[in-house]
Amino acid sequence: MEFIPVLKLDELPAESSKIVKAGNKKIALFHYNNKITALGNACLHRGGPLGIGHVKACYDGLYVSCPWHGWEYNIQTGSAAPGYEDQQSVYEVKIDDNQILISSEPVIQAKKAFHDSPLLDDLKNLRYQTSPTSLNILGISATNMHKDLPRFSTSEDALEKSLAFATEQLGAETRMIKLRDLEFRHCEGYYSQHMQACNWPCSITEMNPEDGMTKVYADMILWADIVVMATPIRWGQASSLYYKMAERLNTVQNQITLKNKILVKNKVAAFIITGGQDNIQQVAGQMMCFFTDLGFAFPPFSFMGWSRGWTAEDMDKNVMQFKKSDYVVRASKELMENTVETLKQLKRMNPDKITAPKPRKNDSWSSEIENPDQNY
Ligand code: FES
């Protein structure tokens, strides 16, 4: 077999790793325990650069963790961590004088195991459950409370009123997601490693389909025609649970950046915002900005709010007055009427004609500059 010189030996000190090029391949070289080993640099998951991953002793040997999402490979055998079937490609290494050479072809071929569940497969292949006539309304409640101590939530109550009206009077199919009931991880910022590290479906969901956001992705992206987002006001903002969910929706918006692929088309969003003190318009504005970046459209008067104002610190009377309010009952219905009417109009639009005037990866001034550490 042919061997290719790739690096001087003294350029790879003990306890270090480096990415080198052999022909048109990028190889991760490791120098640990007085031995030099070589693996394919592109992680089998999404192509993260293994040569700049962290190496540590664990399981039955030395393993490198991919810097993108943490898949692990034995740096000698290329095998994945115990319990996984993946096999990274391994190259033979020779030392000649002060020169490191590696085989031109791998001596062990890469093999990616099958990881997908049926739901992941639906997400990956965007098997939408909407139709030209469907009226699927998803309510998402972002209020937080301890599940063993449930209390009355004004935002959730208004959402329940809206959904009940939509079911009974407008013939909608409705579902409700209570974010507090879902166990889901925070966005872990893979995008900051590389735009390709944040892909669809979300890497966290892909690594763990049991993660609670899988339900949000499936219901919001595949099933819903309308999303009604309900949140309390917390320090003038939507709740922290809302933001936890919103950060995990980066995966949806990022498809536009990466592939000019719009996942959300012909869907409408509306909002319910309640708080003891005010800031309703600010919260609505922030949420509308985010949802329009996902691709949602809005009805006229796209949110309803409830607040008793800046001095209303007598919170014990908030629920009491909310429950007596005719306005809440009326607004919960009117919000849905406007939203459903807007959806009917929107369904007449040709989704193929919807474009996203957003930055794409090639719009960056530095897009032509190569980063030698990365595989893309
Ligand atoms: S773990 Fe390597 S690319 Fe995701």
Side-chain angles (χ1 to χ4, degrees):
M1 187 180 316
E2 192 191 342
F3 280 79
I4 304 170
V6 289
L7 196 71
K8 299 281 183 213
L9 183 56
D10 51 21
E11 290 177 307
L12 188 67
E15 315 307 304
S16 75
S17 51
K18 202 169 200 118
I19 298 166
V20 294
K21 260 190 140 178
N24 56 5
K25 295 182 188 126
K26 287 193 177 175
I27 309 291
L29 284 182
F30 302 93
H31 187 179
Y32 287 84
N33 288 356
N34 298 319
K35 192 171 165 71
I36 294 178
T37 56
L39 303 181
N41 186 49
C43 174
L44 296 172
H45 178 218
R46 293 268 176 84
L50 298 181
I52 55 171
H54 178 63
V55 176
K56 63 176 189 286
C58 54
Y59 315 119
D60 54 350
L62 285 171
Y63 281 75
V64 61
S65 306
C66 174
W68 281 13
H69 315 102
W71 280 28
E72 296 169 318
Y73 303 90
N74 185 304
I75 63 169
Q76 280 195 30
T77 66
S79 54
Y84 295 94
E85 301 292 318
D86 306 274
Q87 171 66 54
Q88 180 56 297
S89 56
V90 179
Y91 292 79
E92 190 176 338
V93 176
K94 279 186 181 173
I95 310 296
D96 186 3
D97 201 5
N98 186 34
Q99 185 71 51
I100 302 171
L101 303 100
I102 65 159
S103 57
S104 57
E105 295 300 325
V107 288
I108 301 176
Q109 295 290 342
K111 184 168 85 53
K112 186 175 179 181
F114 186 72
H115 291 266
D116 291 357
S117 68
L119 183 51
L120 268 186
D121 208 43
D122 286 351
L123 288 168
K124 196 174 275 182
N125 292 298
L126 287 172
R127 294 199 182 99
Y128 290 106
Q129 294 154 24
T130 50
S131 73
T133 55
S134 58
L135 178 51
N136 298 340
I137 304 183
L138 174 66
I140 302 181
S141 172
T143 191
N144 204 1
M145 61 183 90
H146 197 287
K147 64 177 182 304
D148 297 332
L149 186 57
R151 287 159 290 139
F152 186 88
S153 156
T154 51
S155 59
E156 196 163 290
D157 184 73
L159 178 57
E160 281 167 352
K161 282 184 170 63
S162 293
L163 295 182
F165 175 74
T167 310
E168 290 156 18
Q169 303 297 322
L170 305 176
E173 292 274 328
T174 59
R175 288 182 186 173
M176 160 96 95
I177 289 178
K178 298 177 181 177
L179 290 179
R180 64 182 178 281
D181 291 344
L182 304 180
E183 298 278 332
F184 64 104
R185 275 158 62 179
H186 285 276
C187 172
E188 290 157 15
Y190 300 122
Y191 187 82
S192 60
Q193 297 292 310
H194 194 295
M195 68 174 92
Q196 304 274 13
C198 175
N199 214 318
W200 174 261
C202 167
S203 326
I204 294 174
T205 282
E206 199 180 46
M207 289 185 281
N208 176 18
E210 301 299 311
D211 181 273
M213 273 301 289
T214 307
K215 178 160 181 55
V216 177
Y217 297 135
D219 283 0
M220 180 188 282
I221 305 302
L222 301 184
W223 181 79
D225 292 297
I226 291 172
V227 173
V228 186
M229 187 75 231
T231 181
I233 301 172
R234 297 272 184 261
W235 284 102
Q237 304 292 335
S239 79
S240 58
L241 261 182
Y242 163 77
Y243 282 105
K244 188 178 176 190
M245 176 198 76
E247 288 180 18
R248 287 285 303 276
L249 288 168
N250 196 60
T251 178
V252 176
Q253 203 275 344
N254 199 28
Q255 286 296 287
I256 296 167
T257 315
L258 286 175
K259 300 178 180 165
N260 191 21
K261 196 164 160 190
I262 304 171
L263 271 49
V264 173
K265 285 184 175 178
N266 295 8
K267 293 184 193 282
V268 184
F271 308 96
I272 294 170
I273 303 152
T274 69
Q277 294 176 318
D278 205 355
N279 218 21
I280 293 166
Q281 288 169 321
Q282 146 78 16
V283 174
Q286 212 285 335
M287 292 205 294
M288 287 171 74
C289 183
F290 177 67
F291 273 77
T292 192
D293 260 11
L294 296 182
F296 284 88
F298 308 115
F301 310 104
S302 64
F303 64 93
M304 65 162 283
W306 165 265
S307 160
R308 295 182 311 132
W310 178 244
T311 58
E313 295 286 8
D314 50 344
M315 290 302 293
D316 57 302
K317 300 185 190 107
N318 184 43
V319 170
M320 187 179 83
Q321 292 190 325
F322 176 91
K323 284 183 176 175
K324 282 188 200 159
S325 167
D326 292 337
Y327 153 76
V328 169
V329 175
R330 175 174 58 79
S332 306
K333 293 177 182 175
E334 289 176 346
L335 182 73
M336 296 319 300
E337 283 171 337
N338 280 1
T339 308
V340 169
E341 215 38 57
T342 303
L343 179 72
K344 286 182 194 161
Q345 301 299 323
L346 204 62
K347 288 226 181 212
R348 297 195 188 127
M349 270 180 85
N350 179 352
D352 296 336
K353 290 200 166 165
I354 297 174
T355 54
K358 293 281 151 193
R360 296 174 199 152
K361 60 181 180 183
N362 293 338
D363 290 327
S364 167
W365 291 352
S366 53
S367 67
E368 299 300 318
I369 302 171
E370 200 201 339
N371 178 347
D373 283 344
Q374 302 291 337
N375 295 303
Y376 299 103

